[in-house]
Amino acid sequence: MKAFTYERAASPAKAAEAAVANPGAKFIAGGTNLLDLMKLQIETPTHLIDVNRLGLDEIAATRDGGLRIGALVRNTDLAAHKAVRRDYGVLSRALLSGASGQLRNKATTAGNLLQRTRCPYFYDTTKPCNKRKPGTGCAALNGFNRNMAIMGTSADCIATHPSDMAVAMRLLDATVETITSDGTKRAIPMADFHRLPGNTPDIETALAPGEFITSVVLPKPLGGTHIYRKVRDRTSYAFAVLSVAAVFDKQGETRFAFGGLAHKPWRVEAADALGSRGAAAVAEAALAGAKTTEQNAFKIDLTQRTLAAVFAQKEA
Amino acid sequence: MKFDQPATLNPIDRARVVGKPVDRIDGPLKVAGAAPYAYERHDVAPNPAYGWMIGSAIAKGTINSIDTTEAEAAPGVLAVLTHANAGALGKGNMNTARLLGGPDIQHYDQAVALVVAETFEQARDAAKLVRVDYTQGQGKFDLLVGVKTAQPPKSVQGSPADTSVGDFDGAFKSAAVKVDQTYTTPDQSHAMMEPHATTAAWAGDKLTVWTSNQMVTWAVKEMAKTLKIAPENVQVVSPYIGGGFGSKLFLRADALLAALGARAVGRPVKVALARPQIPNNTTHRPATIQRLRIGATKDGVIQAIGHDVWAGDLPGGDVESAGLQTRLLYAGKNRKTTHRLAELDLPEGNAMRAPGEAVGLLALEVAMDELAEACGVDPVELRIKNDIQYDPEAGPKRPFSSRKLIECLQQGAERFGWSKRNPKPGQVREGDFLIGMGVAAAFRNNMAMPSGARVAIDGKGRITVSTDMTDIGTGTYTIIAQTAAELLGVNVSDVTVKLGDSSFPASAGSGGQWGANSSTAGVYATCMTLRGMLAQKAGFNAEDALFEDGMIKAAGKAIPLRDAVGREGISVDDKIEFGDLTERYAQATFGAHFCEVAVDRFTGEVHVRRMGGAFAAGRILNPKTARSQVIGAMTMGVGAALMEELVVDKRFGYFVNHDMAEYHVPVHADIPEQDVLFLDELDDKSSPMKAKGVGELGICGAGAAVANAIYNATGVRLRDYPMTLDKVIGGLAKA
Ligand SMILES: Cc1cc2nc3c(=O)[nH]c(=O)nc-3n(C[C@H](O)[C@H](O)[C@H](O)COP(=O)(O)OP(=O)(O)OC[C@H]3O[C@@H](n4cnc5c(N)ncnc54)[C@H](O)[C@@H]3O)c2cc1C
Ligand code: SF4
């Protein structure tokens, strides 16, 4: 960990301002991801802006029947919130399948969206990694890549986004609300929030430098049956090998989003439309253009199988 | 005391305290955070500086230069030690690779420098400023390639690499039923809770290390040899250890570097390895390839049994002794075992959680399951059929000292409800789960090591036992107190136990599941000597004296211990030594594991639903601590079967998933109800305690029971550990 200076921001706009004024700055929320990365010098901020006491820990109804979730709402509180459990079951379940109780108590909504990949080479500063150090190469491409992405990959990076919560947010078509140093606010749809790696895997989101997340907004409830099925190598406290978030609404509309497949929560409109045709059809559409390695080719079969499990669960 | 004849009736047989489920006497200290661990010895080594180890960034090659100028100028930095300025170092006998590397590099993350600073953060930060310039060499990292040139090792845990009895090839060839399969197990990491950690301080030329080490006597010798100083000048203190599982049997880099750092800066220095450094810097259990060939009659009587083992290690290292149990577990006139060692430049392979048997049984006991199916014999019955009461290689002249495998299988099966198992795989379904049961035999050698103790009674009658024996979380404090209390006729609360200090009498240490039996036998020997002295002081005949209720009783008289010892108290050192009973008798511990799994028919995720084990391991000194040992070991068996694997990157020559987020061990949610039954057994040939080891027995076979249950549930036979869901779905029907 490199020595850094520290300040406590006074307001969201001030936080964004401070970030622009200190080019090496980072916001710190729960710190459960950032601090680990700092200890390994994968992140080396020179200045930390503590955003924990800005009153962004509220969950409130929006005028059009949705929910506005403050950026600093803890994962535990979000999962337990009455309206979330009632109307956005898939989000509550996704949150509770992630990390551990202690981590969820610290982890925040914005921090969760921005957590970085668990690619093991990203964590090893002695190894090439375009995401950590652009231009050095991708060690995972021909290395240990069982857990890596099969959708939307590039020759420069095949990492996945590890969040469970983000998959549910994507499924629900949430929007991320931000503020910049000049006070400009904008709303970024989840579909556009995370990026595919392309040839700049170090740039992971649509956020501009210093842009600060104030909240995440959920549109009005979809109703229907909400399912989050996380497949993992042990029963708890493990990142997803693969996950499927699904909503089957009362009108027979379906939508599906996937974790563990790509550099972002993976959702394909063509697949959403095929819910009535069953798991195989959805999988085929969702996985069009998949690029696998010898080690992660099983994710094709696993996606279809997990979708089959989701369909079976819906019937049960 | 020399133990060279079977024990007869002795004072332990009163079993007034020994054999009772006494709570851990160190428990309150631990839950209150008052038990001092190696990295927290501010009480005895005040004002320590902090050391941070730098590991090699390459797996094989040489260091051309190390530039420490920037690091040395960093805030708080007191010293940067490397091979160039650490002084001439020897190498211990027990570590294969040097603990401070350079200029030659032997494996990835081998220590190449230690940064010492005022604070931990300063040391870690400055470490990034040390510039090491390497020339990368050509390393060998692929076991599959290495096996082609693998050689027989000089010995396998002191026995020959290969054994052969009768005509294996002929008998296998002509057997009515044959199993010929190859199994693989991956590299594994100990993953104990407390990392390797040491605080070191010098007083003149005398070194004290407060460290986390299972074998205090070895650590003294190895430290002295490495530093080229006299063993008398080294004191090792290791009273509390947060788990070791074999990783702390030997002197490791934390201890050496702390000693070097403390010498360089002239004040105490402490060094703990960071979790991500442990898998590549320290030792691990090497991967194995195992071929099992079993030939049997149609009804399952083994005619030929062969076990060939390949494993790798650094040049000069050892083979994983995975074939040893096959020399002893089942009958069969024609037999053979071989071990071959491939030279690899991966980090050092060494002892971990029942070395040998733990992975040997992962192969052998699945092969037995395959044989049972091929013969149409129940797997429990098959094992009973092939039981043998003597060493099958040596013949009837070397009987087992005690062997209750059949009883374990029968009673274990009864308790578990084995009769409900459907022998046809893939038949039982509950909702979306495929349900199956598996069985495997448990076998672990019983070793005995000389062990000493000091037993003192002060003028108030309080008893103190001191020995350099360690408690690695196993319950040693408690069973030693029970032993002394039993023999001296007092309560456990009247006994203080002091462990893990090399100024105390040398003990067996903790390893190879020999610790409990050997160290309590040492306390037994010492207490018996003390009893003789006390009886004499009291004017009694030692043979007639009865020690109970805090008194010595004989000839109608009863004298309190404190009166017998007098005001100044009494103290005696003695030890147990073992004769040739382990040669005259095969000594081992036995058990049977049962497991029920539910496999998700869609995703292939395996959930262990129930585990049951029945074990025969001599006298169970404390059923509570013994049960804790066994269920912990069964949990490790689940880890081995389902998730534990250090993934080798064959390009860079290192273990990629070297932290606890990516190297998976079971969590609570993975572990269901575990039922443990200990059979009544006293082994009069093992020691005067009539006990044997038990800690490692629980892992031996446990993983194979899981694997066999997966097969019974799904019909998918996997032979490549760990049995992760990608492998399971590879064999499942389409969802
Ligand atoms: C052992 C372990 C297991 C885990 N398992 C899972 C799992 O199974 N599933 C899962 O989904 N997650 C898992 N996690 C990840 C966990 O969910 C994240 O660490 C957590 O959500 C991050 O939130 P935080 O508030 O602590 O973020 P921080 O660490 O504080 O910040 C993360 C990043 O977000 C930025 N940031 C924070 N707030 C803002 C803001 N308001 N605006 C702009 N930028 C901001 C920070 O600058 C930083 O770059 C695991 C983590 C660990 C350590
Ligand atoms: S997959 Fe991405 S994160 Fe992993 S090594 Fe390649 S570039 Fe780095």
Side-chain angles (χ1 to χ4, degrees), chain A residues 1 39 41 120-121 124-127 139 142-144 146 229 231-235 298 305 309 312, chain B residues 57 108 124-125 128 600-603 605 647 649 651-652 654 656 658 665 670 725-726 732-733:
Chain A
M1 188 179 286
K39 288 175 195 168
Q41 291 203 13
Y121 300 101
D124 253 309
T125 49
T126 62
K127 299 291 171 293
N142 298 307
F144 175 47
R146 171 183 184 264
R229 182 70 168 88
V231 182
R232 45 186 146 181
D233 286 323
R234 64 180 168 194
T235 310
F298 75 93
R305 289 179 158 278
Chain B
Y108 183 81
R124 186 178 57 186
D125 192 7
K128 290 278 181 194
D600 189 304
R601 76 180 179 94
F602 294 109
T603 63
E605 289 163 295
V647 176
D649 187 314
R651 304 163 305 168
F652 301 115
Y654 82 127
V656 189
H658 52 76
V665 297
D670 292 305
L725 60 93
D726 46 329
L732 284 182

Short mmCIF file of all heavy atoms in Angstrom, two decimals, chain A residues 1 39 41 120-121 124-127 139 142-144 146 229 231-235 298 305 309 312, chain B residues 57 108 124-125 128 600-603 605 647 649 651-652 654 656 658 665 670 725-726 732-733:
data_model
loop_
_atom_site.label_atom_id
_atom_site.label_comp_id
_atom_site.label_asym_id
_atom_site.label_seq_id
_atom_site.Cartn_x
_atom_site.Cartn_y
_atom_site.Cartn_z
N MET A 1 0.84 -1.19 0.00
CA MET A 1 0.00 0.00 0.00
C MET A 1 0.87 1.24 0.00
O MET A 1 1.78 1.35 0.82
CB MET A 1 -0.90 -0.01 1.25
CG MET A 1 -1.95 1.07 1.24
SD MET A 1 -3.00 1.01 2.72
CE MET A 1 -4.04 -0.41 2.38
N LYS A 39 -3.48 -2.87 -0.92
CA LYS A 39 -2.44 -3.62 -0.20
C LYS A 39 -1.51 -4.32 -1.18
O LYS A 39 -0.33 -4.48 -0.92
CB LYS A 39 -3.08 -4.66 0.72
CG LYS A 39 -3.77 -4.05 1.93
CD LYS A 39 -4.48 -5.13 2.73
CE LYS A 39 -5.44 -4.51 3.71
NZ LYS A 39 -6.34 -5.52 4.29
N GLN A 41 -0.92 -3.18 -4.15
CA GLN A 41 -0.49 -2.13 -5.08
C GLN A 41 -0.99 -2.37 -6.50
O GLN A 41 -0.31 -2.07 -7.48
CB GLN A 41 1.04 -1.94 -5.05
CG GLN A 41 1.49 -1.33 -3.72
CD GLN A 41 2.83 -0.62 -3.81
OE1 GLN A 41 3.36 -0.35 -4.88
NE2 GLN A 41 3.37 -0.28 -2.64
N PRO A 120 -7.10 -14.05 -11.61
CA PRO A 120 -5.94 -14.19 -10.71
C PRO A 120 -4.69 -13.46 -11.21
O PRO A 120 -3.85 -13.06 -10.41
CB PRO A 120 -5.71 -15.69 -10.64
CG PRO A 120 -6.40 -16.26 -11.83
CD PRO A 120 -7.53 -15.34 -12.14
N TYR A 121 -4.58 -13.29 -12.50
CA TYR A 121 -3.38 -12.61 -13.02
C TYR A 121 -3.43 -11.10 -12.79
O TYR A 121 -2.42 -10.45 -12.68
CB TYR A 121 -3.20 -12.92 -14.51
CG TYR A 121 -3.04 -14.39 -14.79
CD1 TYR A 121 -4.10 -15.16 -15.25
CD2 TYR A 121 -1.82 -15.04 -14.55
CE1 TYR A 121 -3.97 -16.51 -15.50
CE2 TYR A 121 -1.68 -16.40 -14.79
CZ TYR A 121 -2.76 -17.13 -15.26
OH TYR A 121 -2.62 -18.47 -15.49
N ASP A 124 -1.68 -10.46 -9.64
CA ASP A 124 -0.26 -10.77 -9.52
C ASP A 124 0.56 -9.73 -10.25
O ASP A 124 0.67 -9.77 -11.47
CB ASP A 124 0.02 -12.14 -10.15
CG ASP A 124 0.28 -13.16 -9.09
OD1 ASP A 124 1.12 -12.88 -8.22
OD2 ASP A 124 -0.36 -14.21 -9.14
N THR A 125 1.19 -8.83 -9.52
CA THR A 125 1.89 -7.74 -10.21
C THR A 125 3.13 -8.25 -10.94
O THR A 125 3.74 -7.49 -11.69
CB THR A 125 2.29 -6.64 -9.21
OG1 THR A 125 2.93 -7.26 -8.10
CG2 THR A 125 1.08 -5.88 -8.73
N THR A 126 3.51 -9.51 -10.75
CA THR A 126 4.65 -10.03 -11.51
C THR A 126 4.21 -10.58 -12.88
O THR A 126 5.04 -11.08 -13.63
CB THR A 126 5.36 -11.17 -10.76
OG1 THR A 126 4.45 -12.25 -10.57
CG2 THR A 126 5.87 -10.69 -9.41
N LYS A 127 2.90 -10.54 -13.17
CA LYS A 127 2.40 -11.16 -14.40
C LYS A 127 1.84 -10.11 -15.36
O LYS A 127 1.34 -9.07 -14.92
CB LYS A 127 1.30 -12.17 -14.05
CG LYS A 127 1.78 -13.30 -13.14
CD LYS A 127 2.73 -14.23 -13.87
CE LYS A 127 3.40 -15.22 -12.95
NZ LYS A 127 4.33 -14.63 -11.99
N ALA A 139 -2.31 -12.52 -19.47
CA ALA A 139 -1.79 -13.82 -19.03
C ALA A 139 -2.87 -14.89 -19.01
O ALA A 139 -2.58 -16.08 -19.10
CB ALA A 139 -1.16 -13.69 -17.64
N ASN A 142 -3.92 -17.59 -22.43
CA ASN A 142 -3.37 -18.94 -22.59
C ASN A 142 -2.98 -19.55 -21.25
O ASN A 142 -2.15 -20.45 -21.20
CB ASN A 142 -2.15 -18.90 -23.52
CG ASN A 142 -2.52 -18.42 -24.89
OD1 ASN A 142 -3.44 -18.96 -25.52
ND2 ASN A 142 -1.85 -17.37 -25.36
N GLY A 143 -3.56 -19.03 -20.19
CA GLY A 143 -3.22 -19.54 -18.86
C GLY A 143 -4.42 -20.19 -18.20
O GLY A 143 -5.21 -20.89 -18.86
N PHE A 144 -4.56 -19.97 -16.92
CA PHE A 144 -5.68 -20.53 -16.18
C PHE A 144 -6.90 -19.67 -16.46
O PHE A 144 -7.02 -18.55 -15.98
CB PHE A 144 -5.34 -20.53 -14.69
CG PHE A 144 -6.47 -20.99 -13.81
CD1 PHE A 144 -7.19 -22.13 -14.12
CD2 PHE A 144 -6.80 -20.29 -12.65
CE1 PHE A 144 -8.23 -22.56 -13.30
CE2 PHE A 144 -7.83 -20.71 -11.83
CZ PHE A 144 -8.56 -21.85 -12.16
N ARG A 146 -10.32 -21.07 -16.65
CA ARG A 146 -11.58 -21.80 -16.41
C ARG A 146 -12.72 -20.85 -16.04
O ARG A 146 -13.86 -21.06 -16.44
CB ARG A 146 -11.36 -22.80 -15.27
CG ARG A 146 -12.64 -23.48 -14.78
CD ARG A 146 -12.34 -24.40 -13.60
NE ARG A 146 -13.51 -25.12 -13.16
CZ ARG A 146 -14.30 -24.73 -12.16
NH1 ARG A 146 -14.04 -23.62 -11.49
NH2 ARG A 146 -15.35 -25.46 -11.81
N ARG A 229 -30.22 -17.59 -9.74
CA ARG A 229 -29.58 -18.89 -9.54
C ARG A 229 -28.09 -18.73 -9.76
O ARG A 229 -27.63 -18.44 -10.86
CB ARG A 229 -30.16 -19.90 -10.54
CG ARG A 229 -29.60 -21.30 -10.39
CD ARG A 229 -30.08 -21.95 -9.09
NE ARG A 229 -29.78 -23.38 -9.09
CZ ARG A 229 -28.61 -23.89 -8.66
NH1 ARG A 229 -27.67 -23.09 -8.21
NH2 ARG A 229 -28.42 -25.20 -8.71
N VAL A 231 -24.41 -20.42 -9.59
CA VAL A 231 -23.70 -21.70 -9.59
C VAL A 231 -22.26 -21.43 -9.16
O VAL A 231 -21.62 -20.51 -9.69
CB VAL A 231 -23.70 -22.33 -10.99
CG1 VAL A 231 -22.98 -23.68 -10.98
CG2 VAL A 231 -25.11 -22.47 -11.50
N ARG A 232 -21.79 -22.20 -8.19
CA ARG A 232 -20.46 -21.89 -7.66
C ARG A 232 -19.75 -23.15 -7.20
O ARG A 232 -20.37 -24.20 -7.04
CB ARG A 232 -20.55 -20.88 -6.54
CG ARG A 232 -21.65 -21.19 -5.54
CD ARG A 232 -21.82 -20.08 -4.53
NE ARG A 232 -23.21 -19.94 -4.13
CZ ARG A 232 -23.64 -19.03 -3.27
NH1 ARG A 232 -22.82 -18.20 -2.72
NH2 ARG A 232 -24.92 -18.97 -2.96
N ASP A 233 -18.47 -23.01 -6.93
CA ASP A 233 -17.65 -24.17 -6.60
C ASP A 233 -17.72 -24.58 -5.13
O ASP A 233 -17.19 -25.59 -4.75
CB ASP A 233 -16.20 -23.92 -6.99
CG ASP A 233 -16.01 -23.99 -8.50
OD1 ASP A 233 -16.67 -24.84 -9.13
OD2 ASP A 233 -15.24 -23.19 -9.06
N ARG A 234 -18.30 -23.74 -4.30
CA ARG A 234 -18.66 -24.20 -2.96
C ARG A 234 -19.96 -23.51 -2.59
O ARG A 234 -20.37 -22.56 -3.26
CB ARG A 234 -17.54 -23.96 -1.95
CG ARG A 234 -17.21 -22.51 -1.72
CD ARG A 234 -16.08 -22.35 -0.68
NE ARG A 234 -15.60 -20.99 -0.70
CZ ARG A 234 -14.47 -20.58 -0.13
NH1 ARG A 234 -13.69 -21.44 0.50
NH2 ARG A 234 -14.11 -19.32 -0.19
N THR A 235 -20.57 -23.96 -1.51
CA THR A 235 -21.96 -23.60 -1.29
C THR A 235 -22.14 -22.14 -0.90
O THR A 235 -23.20 -21.56 -1.06
CB THR A 235 -22.58 -24.53 -0.23
OG1 THR A 235 -22.27 -25.87 -0.63
CG2 THR A 235 -24.06 -24.38 -0.12
N PHE A 298 -17.07 -25.46 -20.84
CA PHE A 298 -18.21 -26.04 -20.11
C PHE A 298 -19.28 -25.00 -19.79
O PHE A 298 -20.42 -25.35 -19.49
CB PHE A 298 -17.72 -26.72 -18.83
CG PHE A 298 -17.35 -25.75 -17.73
CD1 PHE A 298 -18.28 -25.39 -16.76
CD2 PHE A 298 -16.08 -25.18 -17.67
CE1 PHE A 298 -17.95 -24.50 -15.75
CE2 PHE A 298 -15.75 -24.28 -16.67
CZ PHE A 298 -16.69 -23.93 -15.71
N ARG A 305 -27.91 -25.52 -18.79
CA ARG A 305 -28.37 -26.31 -17.64
C ARG A 305 -28.91 -25.41 -16.53
O ARG A 305 -29.90 -25.73 -15.89
CB ARG A 305 -27.20 -27.12 -17.08
CG ARG A 305 -26.77 -28.24 -17.98
CD ARG A 305 -25.59 -29.00 -17.39
NE ARG A 305 -25.55 -30.30 -17.97
CZ ARG A 305 -26.28 -31.33 -17.58
NH1 ARG A 305 -27.07 -31.24 -16.55
NH2 ARG A 305 -26.21 -32.48 -18.19
N ALA A 309 -32.56 -25.18 -14.92
CA ALA A 309 -32.87 -25.19 -13.49
C ALA A 309 -33.80 -24.03 -13.14
O ALA A 309 -34.72 -24.17 -12.34
CB ALA A 309 -31.57 -25.10 -12.67
N ALA A 312 -37.23 -24.84 -14.29
CA ALA A 312 -37.83 -25.84 -13.41
C ALA A 312 -38.27 -25.20 -12.09
O ALA A 312 -39.33 -25.50 -11.56
CB ALA A 312 -36.82 -26.97 -13.14
N ALA B 57 10.08 -13.25 -8.26
CA ALA B 57 9.09 -13.07 -9.32
C ALA B 57 9.24 -14.11 -10.42
O ALA B 57 8.39 -14.20 -11.30
CB ALA B 57 9.21 -11.67 -9.91
N TYR B 108 9.27 -20.11 -7.53
CA TYR B 108 8.54 -18.84 -7.47
C TYR B 108 8.25 -18.47 -6.02
O TYR B 108 7.91 -19.33 -5.21
CB TYR B 108 7.23 -18.97 -8.25
CG TYR B 108 6.43 -17.69 -8.33
CD1 TYR B 108 6.76 -16.71 -9.26
CD2 TYR B 108 5.38 -17.45 -7.47
CE1 TYR B 108 6.04 -15.53 -9.32
CE2 TYR B 108 4.66 -16.27 -7.53
CZ TYR B 108 5.00 -15.30 -8.45
OH TYR B 108 4.29 -14.13 -8.51
N ARG B 124 6.06 -3.00 3.96
CA ARG B 124 5.39 -3.54 2.77
C ARG B 124 5.50 -2.57 1.60
O ARG B 124 5.71 -2.98 0.46
CB ARG B 124 3.92 -3.80 3.11
CG ARG B 124 3.16 -4.49 1.99
CD ARG B 124 1.74 -4.77 2.39
NE ARG B 124 1.04 -3.56 2.78
CZ ARG B 124 -0.20 -3.54 3.28
NH1 ARG B 124 -0.84 -4.67 3.48
NH2 ARG B 124 -0.77 -2.40 3.60
N ASP B 125 5.38 -1.30 1.89
CA ASP B 125 5.45 -0.28 0.87
C ASP B 125 6.85 -0.23 0.26
O ASP B 125 7.04 -0.23 -0.97
CB ASP B 125 5.09 1.07 1.52
CG ASP B 125 4.85 2.15 0.49
OD1 ASP B 125 4.84 1.82 -0.71
OD2 ASP B 125 4.67 3.30 0.90
N LYS B 128 8.13 -2.71 -2.44
CA LYS B 128 7.86 -2.48 -3.86
C LYS B 128 8.96 -1.64 -4.52
O LYS B 128 8.99 -1.51 -5.73
CB LYS B 128 6.52 -1.76 -4.02
CG LYS B 128 5.34 -2.64 -3.69
CD LYS B 128 4.97 -3.52 -4.87
CE LYS B 128 3.76 -4.38 -4.52
NZ LYS B 128 3.56 -5.48 -5.46
N ASP B 600 -26.94 -31.76 -7.84
CA ASP B 600 -27.93 -31.02 -8.61
C ASP B 600 -27.94 -31.56 -10.04
O ASP B 600 -26.91 -31.53 -10.72
CB ASP B 600 -27.57 -29.52 -8.59
CG ASP B 600 -28.66 -28.67 -9.18
OD1 ASP B 600 -29.04 -28.92 -10.35
OD2 ASP B 600 -29.13 -27.75 -8.48
N ARG B 601 -29.07 -32.05 -10.47
CA ARG B 601 -29.10 -32.72 -11.77
C ARG B 601 -28.91 -31.73 -12.92
O ARG B 601 -28.57 -32.10 -14.03
CB ARG B 601 -30.39 -33.51 -11.96
CG ARG B 601 -31.60 -32.68 -12.29
CD ARG B 601 -32.83 -33.58 -12.46
NE ARG B 601 -34.01 -32.79 -12.75
CZ ARG B 601 -34.44 -32.53 -14.00
NH1 ARG B 601 -33.79 -33.00 -15.04
NH2 ARG B 601 -35.51 -31.80 -14.18
N PHE B 602 -29.13 -30.46 -12.64
CA PHE B 602 -28.90 -29.45 -13.68
C PHE B 602 -27.44 -29.00 -13.70
O PHE B 602 -26.77 -29.06 -14.72
CB PHE B 602 -29.79 -28.23 -13.43
CG PHE B 602 -31.25 -28.49 -13.58
CD1 PHE B 602 -32.09 -28.52 -12.48
CD2 PHE B 602 -31.79 -28.72 -14.84
CE1 PHE B 602 -33.44 -28.76 -12.62
CE2 PHE B 602 -33.14 -28.96 -14.99
CZ PHE B 602 -33.98 -28.98 -13.87
N THR B 603 -26.98 -28.51 -12.56
CA THR B 603 -25.70 -27.80 -12.53
C THR B 603 -24.52 -28.65 -12.13
O THR B 603 -23.37 -28.20 -12.22
CB THR B 603 -25.78 -26.62 -11.55
OG1 THR B 603 -25.99 -27.16 -10.23
CG2 THR B 603 -26.89 -25.66 -11.90
N GLU B 605 -23.64 -29.33 -9.22
CA GLU B 605 -23.11 -28.97 -7.90
C GLU B 605 -23.34 -30.13 -6.93
O GLU B 605 -24.43 -30.69 -6.89
CB GLU B 605 -23.82 -27.71 -7.36
CG GLU B 605 -23.45 -26.44 -8.11
CD GLU B 605 -24.46 -25.33 -7.85
OE1 GLU B 605 -25.63 -25.48 -8.26
OE2 GLU B 605 -24.06 -24.33 -7.23
N VAL B 647 -3.78 -24.49 -8.74
CA VAL B 647 -3.68 -24.59 -10.20
C VAL B 647 -2.27 -24.18 -10.64
O VAL B 647 -1.80 -23.10 -10.31
CB VAL B 647 -4.73 -23.69 -10.87
CG1 VAL B 647 -4.57 -23.73 -12.39
CG2 VAL B 647 -6.13 -24.10 -10.45
N ASP B 649 0.35 -22.88 -13.22
CA ASP B 649 0.56 -22.23 -14.51
C ASP B 649 1.90 -22.74 -15.03
O ASP B 649 2.96 -22.41 -14.48
CB ASP B 649 0.56 -20.71 -14.36
CG ASP B 649 0.59 -20.03 -15.73
OD1 ASP B 649 1.41 -20.45 -16.58
OD2 ASP B 649 -0.18 -19.08 -15.94
N ARG B 651 3.47 -22.18 -17.65
CA ARG B 651 4.35 -21.23 -18.34
C ARG B 651 5.24 -20.51 -17.34
O ARG B 651 6.45 -20.37 -17.53
CB ARG B 651 3.52 -20.20 -19.11
CG ARG B 651 2.55 -20.80 -20.11
CD ARG B 651 1.50 -19.80 -20.51
NE ARG B 651 0.80 -19.26 -19.35
CZ ARG B 651 0.00 -18.20 -19.39
NH1 ARG B 651 -0.19 -17.54 -20.51
NH2 ARG B 651 -0.61 -17.79 -18.30
N PHE B 652 4.61 -20.06 -16.27
CA PHE B 652 5.37 -19.27 -15.29
C PHE B 652 5.90 -20.12 -14.13
O PHE B 652 6.75 -19.67 -13.36
CB PHE B 652 4.50 -18.15 -14.73
CG PHE B 652 3.98 -17.19 -15.77
CD1 PHE B 652 2.63 -17.08 -16.04
CD2 PHE B 652 4.87 -16.40 -16.50
CE1 PHE B 652 2.15 -16.20 -17.00
CE2 PHE B 652 4.40 -15.51 -17.46
CZ PHE B 652 3.05 -15.41 -17.72
N TYR B 654 4.16 -21.53 -11.38
CA TYR B 654 3.70 -21.16 -10.03
C TYR B 654 2.23 -21.53 -9.88
O TYR B 654 1.56 -21.89 -10.85
CB TYR B 654 3.94 -19.67 -9.76
CG TYR B 654 2.89 -18.72 -10.32
CD1 TYR B 654 2.28 -17.78 -9.50
CD2 TYR B 654 2.51 -18.77 -11.67
CE1 TYR B 654 1.32 -16.91 -9.99
CE2 TYR B 654 1.56 -17.89 -12.16
CZ TYR B 654 0.96 -16.97 -11.32
OH TYR B 654 0.01 -16.11 -11.81
N VAL B 656 -1.35 -20.42 -9.39
CA VAL B 656 -2.02 -19.18 -9.77
C VAL B 656 -3.00 -18.71 -8.69
O VAL B 656 -3.06 -17.53 -8.38
CB VAL B 656 -2.83 -19.38 -11.08
CG1 VAL B 656 -3.34 -18.05 -11.58
CG2 VAL B 656 -1.98 -20.05 -12.13
N HIS B 658 -3.45 -18.36 -5.50
CA HIS B 658 -2.72 -18.45 -4.23
C HIS B 658 -3.30 -17.56 -3.15
O HIS B 658 -2.56 -16.96 -2.38
CB HIS B 658 -1.24 -18.18 -4.47
CG HIS B 658 -0.95 -16.91 -5.22
ND1 HIS B 658 -1.04 -15.68 -4.63
CD2 HIS B 658 -0.64 -16.68 -6.52
CE1 HIS B 658 -0.76 -14.75 -5.53
NE2 HIS B 658 -0.53 -15.33 -6.69
N VAL B 665 -11.46 -23.90 0.26
CA VAL B 665 -11.63 -24.96 1.24
C VAL B 665 -13.11 -24.91 1.65
O VAL B 665 -13.76 -23.90 1.45
CB VAL B 665 -10.72 -24.77 2.48
CG1 VAL B 665 -9.25 -24.85 2.08
CG2 VAL B 665 -10.99 -23.45 3.17
N ASP B 670 -20.92 -25.97 3.41
CA ASP B 670 -20.58 -27.21 2.69
C ASP B 670 -20.63 -28.43 3.59
O ASP B 670 -20.56 -29.55 3.11
CB ASP B 670 -19.17 -27.11 2.11
CG ASP B 670 -19.07 -26.08 1.00
OD1 ASP B 670 -19.86 -26.18 0.04
OD2 ASP B 670 -18.23 -25.17 1.10
N LEU B 725 -17.90 -29.06 -10.54
CA LEU B 725 -19.15 -29.23 -11.28
C LEU B 725 -18.94 -29.35 -12.78
O LEU B 725 -19.72 -30.02 -13.46
CB LEU B 725 -20.12 -28.10 -10.92
CG LEU B 725 -19.66 -26.67 -11.23
CD1 LEU B 725 -20.15 -26.23 -12.60
CD2 LEU B 725 -20.17 -25.72 -10.16
N ASP B 726 -17.88 -28.72 -13.31
CA ASP B 726 -17.66 -28.84 -14.76
C ASP B 726 -17.39 -30.30 -15.13
O ASP B 726 -17.81 -30.78 -16.18
CB ASP B 726 -16.52 -27.94 -15.22
CG ASP B 726 -15.30 -28.02 -14.32
OD1 ASP B 726 -15.48 -28.27 -13.11
OD2 ASP B 726 -14.17 -27.85 -14.80
N LEU B 732 -23.17 -35.98 -16.94
CA LEU B 732 -24.62 -36.05 -16.65
C LEU B 732 -25.45 -36.06 -17.92
O LEU B 732 -25.03 -35.53 -18.95
CB LEU B 732 -25.04 -34.84 -15.81
CG LEU B 732 -24.67 -34.82 -14.33
CD1 LEU B 732 -25.24 -33.56 -13.68
CD2 LEU B 732 -25.17 -36.05 -13.61
N ALA B 733 -26.65 -36.61 -17.79
CA ALA B 733 -27.58 -36.58 -18.91
C ALA B 733 -27.96 -35.13 -19.21
O ALA B 733 -27.86 -34.27 -18.35
CB ALA B 733 -28.83 -37.38 -18.56
#
